[in-house]
Amino acid sequence: MLLLLLFAAIVFILWRFWFFFRNPPRHVPAGNSILSPADGYVVYVRRVNAGEVPMAIKKGRQVMLTELAAPGEMAASSGFLIGIFMTPFSVHYNRIPLSGVVSSVHSYKPGNNRTMARMIFNLLTRNRAPETGCTYLLTNERRTTVIHAGKGFYAVTQIADVWVSQIVNRMAPGDKVNRGTPFGMIRFGSQTDLFISDQLGYQPVCRPGSYVYAGETVIAS
């Protein structure tokens, strides 16, 4: 029994302090296509009308990203939103989807985060609307970074799980960022959303249910 407990402890330590923080090299494809900012399952690809930047749709209700709803370029832009759920076994480093310049970084910190276990259950049961019942989309700590590229912009939103003590994001306004390079990470079962404005002229090429890799999988071209 003691040996079993010792083995379990060693496995947990390796998972928590080595497997969880691994950052394998990625082969960044040539060109100007938009790459996935995270490893994980695509849970939704949604059209966003000007004035609407939904984080999710829960029971038919659109939920705005309040930190991006202020008057300005973001509030007046249309585009599409891609949600990527990072499982406990995904690489949790985030990478730059497209080269550009950081315009702004917005943080939202609620009182308490909620678990993302419902999303894992929905994916395992192949729920056609995997975000159903996932209240963390509306309440959990998140950090949104707006990056200008060419004639348009995109925004990467990192969403934390209940077990996450900190969202790591090394970007600041004015930073020049390069496509495919790491910029931060979030731990355990987290989520990364990507809003791409129509001004960039891209269309999504990924579908809900597909597994994507940060800095390697093309999700818009």
Side-chain angles (χ1 to χ4, degrees), residues 1-43:
M1 184 64 179
L2 182 60
L3 289 176
L4 183 61
L5 291 174
L6 180 61
F7 176 76
I10 292 174
V11 170
F12 175 78
I13 290 171
L14 288 174
W15 175 76
R16 182 67 178 83
F17 296 101
W18 174 74
F19 183 79
F20 218 68
F21 291 92
R22 71 195 189 284
N23 185 20
R26 293 291 163 87
H27 302 287
V28 181
N32 292 316
S33 56
I34 293 181
L35 306 177
S36 175
D39 282 31
Y41 288 97
V42 176
V43 289

Side-chain angles (χ1 to χ4, degrees), residues 16 19-23 37 86 90-95 143 158-160 164 166-170 182-188 190 192:
R16 182 67 178 83
F19 183 79
F20 218 68
F21 291 92
R22 71 195 189 284
N23 185 20
M86 306 160 68
S90 301
V91 171
H92 276 62
Y93 274 88
N94 295 134
R95 291 175 178 262
R143 186 166 299 173
Q158 299 165 285
I159 310 172
V164 176
Q166 183 182 18
I167 294 175
V168 179
N169 184 323
R170 302 186 182 92
F183 70 84
M185 71 175 297
I186 34 182
R187 303 177 180 88
F188 204 69
S190 306
T192 300

